[in-house]
Amino acid sequence: MSFGYLIRRIITSIPTILFVAFLVFIVMHLVPGDVVDMMLGTQNYLTQEQIQELYRQYGLDKPLIVQFGIWLKNLAALDFGTSLRTGKKVIDLIFDRFPVTLELSVLSMFFATIIGIPLGITAAIKRNSFLDGLVRVIGLIGLSSPSFWVGAILIVIFAGLFEGFNIFGYVPLTENPLKNLQVMFLPSLTLGLMLSAQIMRMTRSSMLDVLQQEYIKTAKAKGVSYSKVIGKHALKNALIPIITLFGIQLGYLLAGTIVIENMFALPGLGRLLLQAVNERDYPVIQFVVMFIAFLIVALNIIVDFIYTLVDPRVELR
Amino acid sequence: MNRTVRKFLRNPLNLIFLTILFLILIVAIFPGIFTRYTPYSMDYNAILEKPSLNHLFGTDQFGRDIFSRCVYGLQKSVVIAFSSILFASFIGTILGLIAGYYGGAWDLIIMRICDGFFAFPSLILALFIVALFGSTLLNLIIAIGVVYVPIFARTVRGATLSIRETLFVKASKVIGKSNTKIMFNDILLNLSSVLIVTFTTNLSTAFLTEASLGFLGLSVPPPEPTLGGLVGQGTAFLLSAPWITLFPGFVIAIIVLSLNILGDGLRDILDPKNK
Amino acid sequence: MRKFLVTILTIFAIVGVFAAGGKLVIAMETEPVGLDPHLVTAFASHRILENVYDSLLRYGEGMKLVPNLAEEAQAVDPYTIVFKIREGVKFHDGTPLTIEDVLFSFQRILNPDTKSPAAAFYQDVESIKMIGDNKIEFKLKKPMASALLPNFAGVNSSIVSKKFVESGKNMQLETNGTGPFYLAEYVPGNYITLKKNPYYYVKDQPYVDEIKIVFMPEEVSRVAALKNGDVDIAKINEPLNLKQFPEGKFKVYRSPVLSYYLIGINTTRKPLNDPKVRNALNYAINREAIIKAVAFSEGVVTGPLNPAVQPWALQPKAFDEYTYNPAKAKELLAQAGYPNGFEFEIVTSQRYNFDKVAQVIQAQLAEVGVKVKINLVEWGIFIKRWRESDFDAFISMNSGSIEPDIQFYRTFRTGGSTNVFLYSNPRVDELLDLGRSEVDISKRKAIYDELQRLLVKESPIIFLYSANQIFVSNASVEGFKLLANESLVFLRETYKK
C-alpha cells in the first residue's frame, strides 16, 4: 500500500523538479551578461568573429529552447554537463562540495537536537514555571536572530577568548580531522542554535499535547514511574511533528546555507552555486539548483514515509 | 473582536512587545527626531570610531554615524519587509483561493508551481530577480515577495479547502452567488484569522531575508541604508570594527523577536485549535 | 681528506647564506582561469604562469626590462627589433629550447584561431625571421620598436615548445615551459604545487624546492592561515587586517600597483559630453580623502600614468586640477552653463571597492551641487554595460603599464578597442601616433607630457588613485619582493631562513 504511494509520490515529483530546471534555465539566461562577457571582462582583445566562435563552441548561439532541449537530452543520458569555467564535470564538483554541506548539516542538526529536545521536554514538564518561561524566551530569541548575527557574535567572542582556535581555514575531514572539527564548530553551532529554537518549541508544544492525552493520565494513575511515562510513552508520540521539522530543517540545511558558508569560508554547495552565478557558469548553476530541488523533494517524501513507520495510524494514499 | 483584542492585551508579554514595536514604528516614521547626524554625511577624520557618546553605535569606514544609519535603515527595512509581505499575501491569497476553491486542474498547476518555488533556493531566486531588474527598492520588495508567495498560497488553499465544504458556502451557491463573490466575500472573510497569523510570522522572516540579501551585498543603491545593507557592509570589518555588524543585527533581532511574540500571542487567540 | 673537504663544502652550501631547498606555502585569493600562456587574461593565471614559462624579456626590480630567454634585445631602428636567443635552455620535459620554438610561439600568438589577446599587441608586425642561427628579427609596419618592447616581457608572449603543442596537448590543462618551476599538481578550487625546475638556466635558482599556492577566496581564511602558521605568505586586501600581524613575528610587503581606479565617462552624453564640465569635476574630487576612506591610506594619487613610471609620468602635483578646490569647481560649472549643478548616473559594481569609491565621489560631488545616482549592478551586468558604452559614467579599475603607448593607445585613440568612453580628439590621436613612432627619449617625453596634460584637461577618464598591493609573510621568509605589475616573479629568489 505505502509502497505504491511511494512510487506515485516519486513520479509526481518529477514535473516539479523539471519545472525548477526550466525556471532556473530561463531566469539564468535572462540575466544580462553571459559567460563570454565574464571571461573577457573589461578587456576587448577579440574580434567580433572570434567572440561569435566562442559562443558557438559553448553552444550558446542556438535558441534558448533548443539549448534547454539539448540539456534535457544529456540529462536523460546521465550527462550532467561540464563547467564552462573550470572544464570540470559538474557531477565531480558536486562530489567535491556536497560533503562539506552534508557535514555542516549533520553537525548542525546534532547541536540543534542536543540543545532543543531536552530543553523542550523540561519546559513541557515544568509547564508555566520560571524555567518554562525562560526556555520559551530563549527559544524566541533564537528564532529571531539573523544567523550571521549569531555567527558574528560567536566569531568575535572566540577570536577574543581563544587564541589559536581555528575559526577559519577549512580542511577536509579526511585530511586533518581535528582542525576540520574546529573549523566546523562555530558554523554548525550557529546554525544549531537557530534550529534548536524551533525544535525546542516544537518539542514543548507536542509534549504538552501528548501529556494531556487520556492514556498518559491513565498510565500515571496506574503508578507507572514518571520518567518512564515521559521517556517511553509521551516522547514517542510527540516525535511525529519533531520528525517533520527535522525533515524541513535538513532540507533547508542541505540546500546550501549560503550565508553561513560565505561567512565562515566553507567550500560547500551554497558557495559553489553563488560562485557559479557570479561567473555565469550555466551548466553548474543549472545542475546545482536541480540537485538541491531534488534533495528537498526527496526529503519531503522520506519524512512522509517515516510517519507511517512511527505512527501506523497515519495512512498514506 | 473587541473581546479578542482585550484578551490579547491581557497578556503582559504581548503588551510589552506591542509597545516596543510601536516605538520602533515611531522611530521609523520620524527618523529625523532621533538622530544628530544625517545618515549620509561623511567625516574622513572619524573613520571607524568605536561606539561613544558622540556616536552611540560608532562610525563606519566613511565616518558616517552608524546610529543614524540604523534609524534611517530601519525605515527602509520596515518598508521593504512590510511591502514584500503585502505583495506576497495579495498574490498568494488569490492563487490559494483559486486552487482551493476550483480544485482540479487549477489546483494541480498552481500547487506544482508552488512546489517548484519551494524547492528553489530562495536566496538565489531573489538574487536572480534583483540581478535581472536592478537593485532598486521596488525590485527588492518584489524579489523578497516572490519568495513568500507560495507560503501564502499553500496556507490559503488549505483553509479554503475546509471552508468550501461548510454549509454557508453551499448555501451561497444555492442562492446563486457568483463564484468570485463567494471566494472574495464569504471565504476570504473566514480566512482573516489565518491570514493575520501568517502575515505576522512571515513579516518577521521577511526582515531576516532582507538582512541575508544585504549580507550577500544585495541592497538598495547607496548611500541609502537598510538594516541588511548595514550588516553586509560591516562583515568585512568583523574583527576590527564589529560594531558595524552587531548593532544593526541587534535591531533586526529585536524587531523579529517582537513580531514573533505577537505572532505567538495572536495564534493562541485566533487559532481555533487553541480554544 | 678530499672527501672530507667536499662534505664540508656541501654542508656549507646547504646551511650557507641561504638555506636552499624547503617548501614555501602561499595563500592567494584567486585561482588561475586556464593555463595556456597565450590565452590567459586573469592576473591569477599570469602570476602562476610567469614562474612556469619564460618570455624573451622579463621585468626586474623597479619594473626595468631585463633579458630572459633573449640574452640581448635591441631596437636597431624604429622598424626593427633583434633578439639574441639564449643557448642551453631546456624545457621542463628535458627537450632543448630552439629558435624554432621561438618562431613557433609567435606564429601561434598571431594565428587568429588561437584567439590570443597578445595578437593585438603584435598586429603591426610585418615579418618575423631568423638571422644566423641564434637571432630573431621582428620587422614592423609602423615605427614603434621601443613602444613594442615591453610586450615581449608579458606572460602572453611566453615561449612554448613547438613539439609539445603540436603533439596535441591541451595547453589550458598541461604546461611545459622553461621557467624556474614546473607545475607538479593542480587541484582546482584547492591548490597548485610548483616544483623546482632542475634544468632552469639560472644557476642555483629557484632557491626553494617546492611552492604550494593555496586558494583562499576569503580574506579571513588567509589571515587565519598565516597567523596559525599554515602558510608562509598571504595576500592581504583589507589594510585593517594588518593590525593582526605584530611586527617581529611577521613581515609586511607593500607596493603601489600600476592598475588604477578611475571614473570613466561616456563623452557623448549630455552634459558630460562637454570637456569643460568634465574638467570641472576634477576640482570637486578630493583624491586623498578617497584613499583615506576606501583604502585606509594604502595608495597613491595617480595621473594618467602611475607616478612611479619613469621617465614618462607627470607627477600629480603637476596638474592644477588635482588640487581639491570645490569653489573653483562650482565656478567652472557655472561658466559651462550649470550654475546649479546637474544630475548623472554612475554605474558600478561591488568588486574591488568600486562601490565604496562611488559613495565617496557621490558625497564629494554633492557638495558642488552635482547629484550622483549610483546604480549598483552585478558584475556580469557591469561588463555588459561597459562593453556597450551604456553608462553616463562608471567607476572601475584599469590595468596600467610602464609603457605609455600600451597605457594610452587602445584606450584613448578614436575607435580604440577599449575606448568605451567613445572619446575622440584629433590632437590626442595625433599625439598617440607620434609617441608610438618616436625613438628619441626626450622628444617622446615631450609628446607624452602634452598628452597627459590634455587627458587631464579633457578628462574622458578621471584618474583617481592606485592602491597598494599588500602581502604579509612570517618572519622567516627572505627574498620576497613585489612588483608594480602585481606579478610574483621574485618567488624564484625567495627562501626560508
Side-chain angles (χ1 to χ4, degrees):
Chain A
M1 172 94 162
S2 61
F3 191 69
Y5 167 81
L6 204 61
I7 300 284
R8 201 161 55 246
R9 273 294 294 273
I10 290 170
I11 291 172
T12 51
S13 63
I14 290 174
T16 305
I17 293 177
L18 286 181
F19 171 71
V20 170
F22 184 68
L23 190 70
V24 68
F25 189 87
I26 293 298
V27 181
M28 179 172 88
H29 280 94
L30 281 180
V31 176
D34 54 45
V35 67
V36 175
D37 289 329
M38 302 308 281
M39 278 164 146
L40 295 179
T42 53
Q43 303 194 342
N44 255 6
Y45 55 85
L46 295 188
T47 64
Q48 212 49 43
E49 293 79 52
Q50 289 173 329
I51 290 175
Q52 287 314 315
E53 168 70 16
L54 270 180
Y55 280 108
R56 211 183 52 71
Q57 277 175 14
Y58 289 133
L60 298 172
D61 55 335
K62 300 185 182 70
L64 275 191
I65 197 74
V66 177
Q67 288 183 40
F68 188 64
I70 293 173
W71 183 79
L72 274 183
K73 207 181 89 195
N74 290 339
L75 187 70
L78 295 183
D79 171 4
F80 303 118
T82 308
S83 159
L84 298 180
R85 287 296 286 222
T86 60
K88 279 189 96 178
K89 292 255 178 237
V90 177
I91 193 77
D92 291 340
L93 287 173
I94 300 241
F95 278 129
D96 274 358
R97 304 300 194 94
F98 187 57
V100 181
T101 302
L102 189 65
E103 190 191 346
L104 180 64
S105 307
V106 169
L107 287 176
S108 307
M109 292 307 286
F110 168 75
F111 280 121
T113 314
I114 60 163
I115 300 168
I117 292 190
L119 283 178
I121 294 174
T122 318
I125 296 171
K126 305 235 152 83
R127 193 181 179 190
N128 290 333
S129 69
F130 172 73
L131 196 68
D132 182 24
L134 192 69
V135 165
R136 289 179 70 186
V137 171
I138 292 175
L140 275 169
I141 294 175
L143 268 188
S144 312
S145 306
S147 58
F148 51 79
W149 188 61
V150 177
I153 292 175
L154 289 177
I155 289 176
V156 172
I157 292 174
F158 269 73
L161 291 184
F162 306 101
E163 188 86 10
F165 184 85
N166 287 304
I167 301 178
F168 301 107
Y170 175 82
V171 287
L173 189 63
T174 46
E175 196 176 292
N176 185 346
L178 191 72
K179 191 170 172 201
N180 170 283
L181 289 176
Q182 270 188 32
V183 172
M184 290 305 243
F185 179 71
L186 285 188
S188 41
L189 184 64
T190 305
L191 288 167
L193 279 175
M194 293 187 54
L195 299 177
S196 72
Q198 289 176 21
I199 290 189
M200 195 190 297
R201 280 159 61 94
M202 187 60 92
T203 310
R204 177 181 175 276
S205 75
S206 66
M207 277 298 277
L208 281 179
D209 282 352
V210 175
L211 285 175
Q212 280 164 358
Q213 306 272 323
E214 283 306 314
Y215 68 91
I216 296 287
K217 289 182 180 159
T218 319
K220 259 180 168 170
K222 274 184 176 168
V224 179
S225 84
Y226 192 63
S227 57
K228 212 170 175 187
V229 172
I230 299 295
K232 200 171 167 199
H233 300 278
L235 190 59
K236 195 181 160 205
N237 286 297
L239 265 182
I240 297 174
I242 300 175
I243 289 172
T244 320
L245 187 65
F246 247 76
I248 294 171
Q249 290 187 342
L250 199 60
Y252 158 80
L253 287 172
L254 292 178
T257 47
I258 298 178
V259 169
I260 290 297
E261 283 180 13
N262 265 297
M263 179 156 212
F264 288 91
L266 300 174
L269 211 53
R271 276 265 306 284
L272 175 68
L273 182 55
L274 199 64
Q275 196 187 345
V277 170
N278 286 338
E279 291 175 347
R280 301 290 191 276
D281 199 337
Y282 298 133
V284 179
I285 306 174
Q286 180 81 46
F287 189 70
V288 172
V289 169
M290 218 187 79
F291 180 73
I292 290 172
F294 168 79
L295 283 178
I296 293 178
V297 169
L299 266 170
N300 278 338
I301 297 177
I302 292 170
V303 166
D304 287 354
F305 197 70
I306 291 177
Y307 276 176
T308 58
L309 301 181
V310 179
D311 186 355
R313 281 173 303 173
V314 178
E315 204 172 283
L316 299 170
R317 275 171 294 130
Chain B
M1 196 66 192
N2 225 341
R3 238 195 55 198
T4 327
V5 173
R6 262 208 308 274
K7 198 170 160 198
F8 180 76
L9 292 181
R10 217 178 300 143
N11 186 337
L13 209 60
N14 291 346
L15 198 64
I16 294 171
F17 280 93
L18 197 65
T19 318
I20 292 179
L21 214 53
F22 181 71
L23 289 178
I24 288 175
L25 212 60
I26 296 282
V27 173
I29 296 172
F30 306 106
I33 301 176
F34 302 90
T35 50
R36 269 174 62 190
Y37 304 89
T38 79
Y40 315 117
S41 63
M42 296 185 177
D43 181 353
Y44 308 123
N45 295 317
I47 287 170
L48 292 178
E49 279 191 2
K50 285 195 178 78
S52 66
L53 278 179
N54 216 349
H55 297 284
L56 224 45
F57 288 1
T59 63
D60 71 3
Q61 98 176 95
F62 306 111
R64 294 182 298 204
D65 183 52
I66 302 275
F67 181 75
S68 298
R69 290 185 69 73
C70 270
V71 168
Y72 281 86
L74 176 69
Q75 185 182 41
K76 281 270 163 1
S77 294
V78 168
V79 169
I80 293 171
F82 196 80
S83 315
S84 55
I85 294 302
L86 207 63
F87 169 83
S89 60
F90 184 73
I91 309 274
T93 305
I94 293 177
L95 289 177
L97 274 175
I98 294 173
Y101 185 76
Y102 289 110
W106 283 106
D107 189 26
L108 192 76
I109 293 170
I110 292 175
M111 283 304 117
R112 276 327 95 180
I113 291 178
C114 282
D115 285 351
F117 275 97
F118 262 122
F120 206 108
S122 57
L123 277 185
I124 292 293
L125 183 64
L127 201 134
F128 270 137
I129 294 174
V130 174
L132 187 53
F133 299 108
S135 61
T136 63
L137 187 67
L138 184 68
N139 293 338
L140 207 60
I141 290 170
I142 294 174
I144 298 173
V146 166
V147 173
Y148 288 88
V149 167
I151 298 178
F152 278 91
R154 248 191 206 183
T155 315
V156 169
R157 171 186 171 270
T160 308
L161 277 180
S162 56
I163 298 172
R164 190 177 65 175
E165 302 306 324
T166 54
L167 270 181
F168 80 97
V169 170
K170 286 183 175 155
S172 298
K173 265 189 190 162
V174 171
I175 61 170
K177 265 196 185 176
S178 75
N179 282 335
T180 348
K181 265 213 167 123
I182 296 176
M183 272 199 290
F184 289 100
N185 288 350
D186 302 342
I187 297 183
L188 196 59
L189 208 65
N190 277 283
L191 282 173
S192 56
S193 56
V194 174
L195 276 178
I196 290 173
V197 173
T198 319
F199 195 94
T200 325
T201 42
N202 284 298
L203 184 59
S204 67
T205 41
F207 275 98
L208 294 178
T209 308
E210 193 267 321
S212 301
L213 284 175
F215 178 88
L216 295 179
L218 289 179
S219 191
V220 297
E224 296 299 329
T226 70
L227 292 175
L230 286 172
V231 166
Q233 184 204 341
T235 44
F237 309 114
L238 196 54
L239 288 176
S240 42
W243 52 90
I244 307 181
T245 308
L246 295 186
F247 284 114
F250 178 71
V251 176
I252 296 172
I254 289 287
I255 297 174
V256 179
L257 177 65
S258 313
L259 284 169
N260 274 334
I261 287 181
L262 296 182
D264 270 15
L266 281 172
R267 190 174 353 206
D268 283 347
I269 290 160
L270 295 175
D271 196 338
K273 266 186 283 178
N274 288 344
K275 273 185 182 151
Chain C
M1 187 65 198
R2 239 184 93 185
K3 209 171 177 185
F4 177 74
L5 261 179
V6 171
T7 320
I8 291 285
L9 282 176
T10 321
I11 290 171
F12 262 63
I14 292 170
V15 298
V17 188
F18 48 82
K23 181 178 168 183
L24 208 58
V25 188
I26 304 177
M28 293 299 292
E29 182 184 12
T30 42
E31 69 177 288
V33 185
L35 296 171
D36 186 330
H38 293 160
L39 292 186
V40 295
T41 55
F43 267 136
S45 297
H46 285 207
R47 285 199 197 102
I48 305 283
L49 292 176
E50 68 199 353
N51 288 299
V52 172
Y53 286 95
D54 283 320
S55 305
L56 292 179
L57 304 174
R58 74 176 175 88
Y59 290 110
E61 231 166 311
M63 290 301 285
K64 295 217 161 50
L65 285 177
V66 296
N68 197 14
L69 288 184
E71 267 175 340
E72 281 168 30
Q74 206 182 355
V76 185
D77 61 64
Y79 291 93
T80 318
I81 306 173
V82 174
F83 295 100
K84 184 176 170 217
I85 307 301
R86 192 178 297 276
E87 281 170 41
V89 177
K90 280 182 181 168
F91 284 102
H92 296 153
D93 62 1
T95 55
L97 168 84
T98 66
I99 205 147
E100 284 291 316
D101 294 314
V102 180
L103 275 175
F104 172 79
S105 299
F106 286 98
Q107 282 157 7
R108 183 165 186 266
I109 291 167
L110 287 167
N111 184 346
D113 290 340
T114 313
K115 299 192 195 71
S116 171
F121 310 154
Y122 298 113
Q123 61 185 354
D124 291 322
V125 171
E126 192 169 80
S127 68
I128 308 170
K129 66 166 194 277
M130 272 163 71
I131 23 177
D133 51 357
N134 65 352
K135 282 189 179 157
I136 195 161
E137 180 195 76
F138 285 73
K139 273 279 178 205
L140 313 177
K141 291 178 213 159
K142 292 181 183 159
M144 55 182 292
S146 42
L148 194 63
L149 271 178
N151 287 312
F152 290 98
V155 169
N156 287 138
S157 306
S158 291
I159 304 306
V160 298
S161 156
K162 183 179 181 189
K163 209 176 104 202
F164 188 73
V165 175
E166 287 184 340
S167 68
K169 291 282 195 312
N170 185 342
M171 297 287 285
Q172 288 284 35
L173 302 175
E174 289 181 78
T175 62
N176 182 23
T178 56
F181 296 95
Y182 69 93
L183 195 150
E185 197 187 6
Y186 177 20
V187 183
N190 208 342
Y191 63 88
I192 272 185
T193 306
L194 301 178
K195 286 198 173 150
K196 180 179 179 146
N197 169 12
Y199 307 117
Y200 187 50
Y201 78 86
V202 180
K203 248 191 154 181
D204 300 331
Q205 282 188 14
Y207 294 166
V208 289
D209 291 334
E210 189 180 326
I211 293 181
K212 187 175 174 186
I213 299 174
V214 288
F215 309 117
M216 301 186 173
E218 283 75 18
E219 177 98 357
V220 285
S221 310
R222 295 193 302 276
V223 171
L226 187 60
K227 278 173 82 178
N228 291 348
D230 298 339
V231 304
D232 301 307
I233 304 175
K235 184 168 197 314
I236 298 298
N237 290 338
E238 194 53 74
L240 281 180
N241 283 330
L242 290 179
K243 283 186 201 156
Q244 304 192 42
F245 300 106
E247 229 172 286
K249 282 170 86 178
F250 296 97
K251 290 182 184 170
V252 176
Y253 310 81
R254 44 161 69 82
S255 107
V257 296
L258 290 177
S259 55
Y260 56 93
Y261 285 84
L262 61 104
I263 310 177
I265 297 171
N266 185 330
T267 56
T268 62
R269 288 193 189 175
K270 259 177 130 61
L272 291 170
N273 61 344
D274 183 351
K276 283 197 211 105
V277 175
R278 299 196 300 263
N279 181 275
L281 295 184
N282 276 289
Y283 291 97
I285 291 169
N286 182 348
R287 292 173 171 81
E288 280 82 10
I290 303 177
I291 299 176
K292 198 171 170 191
V294 178
F296 300 101
S297 304
E298 293 281 354
V300 292
V301 173
T302 176
L305 281 169
N306 189 302
V309 173
Q310 288 310 328
W312 311 118
L314 288 179
Q315 297 304 304
K317 59 177 187 295
F319 306 105
D320 186 38
E321 286 88 342
Y322 274 52
T323 318
Y324 177 57
N325 189 347
K328 178 146 192 200
K330 262 186 153 158
E331 192 189 308
L332 290 174
L333 281 176
Q335 281 171 21
Y338 297 95
N340 301 317
F342 57 93
E343 188 178 336
F344 72 103
E345 185 186 88
I346 287 184
V347 179
T348 193
S349 187
Q350 251 170 352
R351 285 210 172 186
Y352 310 112
N353 291 334
F354 295 159
D355 55 322
K356 294 178 178 169
V357 175
Q359 289 192 55
V360 181
I361 298 278
Q362 183 184 45
Q364 291 179 352
L365 291 185
E367 281 171 32
V368 297
V370 174
K371 213 175 150 226
V372 172
K373 215 181 116 209
I374 297 178
N375 186 0
L376 199 57
V377 297
E378 196 260 355
W379 182 239
I381 299 169
F382 180 85
I383 292 175
K384 190 116 211 147
R385 297 188 65 166
W386 179 90
R387 284 225 268 160
E388 291 167 0
S389 295
D390 181 14
F391 52 81
D392 295 344
F394 67 81
I395 297 225
S396 171
M397 193 157 65
N398 264 3
S399 55
S401 172
I402 58 156
E403 166 49 50
D405 181 66
I406 297 174
Q407 172 107 334
F408 295 135
Y409 200 86
R410 285 193 303 163
T411 310
F412 297 111
R413 186 90 170 61
T414 304
S417 65
T418 55
N419 184 352
V420 292
F421 325 100
L422 308 174
Y423 179 61
S424 176
N425 179 323
R427 180 61 187 160
V428 168
D429 291 353
E430 198 182 335
L431 288 170
L432 285 169
D433 290 338
L434 283 173
R436 182 165 256 210
S437 52
E438 184 56 62
V439 275
D440 181 278
I441 288 192
S442 64
K443 279 186 196 156
R444 199 164 183 242
K445 175 151 173 58
I447 293 168
Y448 284 119
D449 280 0
E450 187 188 340
L451 182 67
Q452 289 175 70
R453 287 183 202 281
L454 198 54
L455 286 177
V456 172
K457 185 157 171 278
E458 297 234 318
S459 290
I461 275 182
I462 295 180
F463 300 89
L464 298 173
Y465 73 100
S466 287
N468 284 344
Q469 56 175 334
I470 304 171
F471 279 78
V472 179
S473 78
N474 60 41
S476 68
V477 172
E478 296 282 342
F480 184 71
K481 283 185 214 123
L482 298 173
L483 268 185
N485 65 351
E486 297 173 58
S487 88
L488 294 179
V489 282
F490 287 106
L491 283 179
R492 62 197 67 179
E493 295 173 25
T494 307
Y495 59 96
K496 269 158 85 175
K497 261 194 309 217

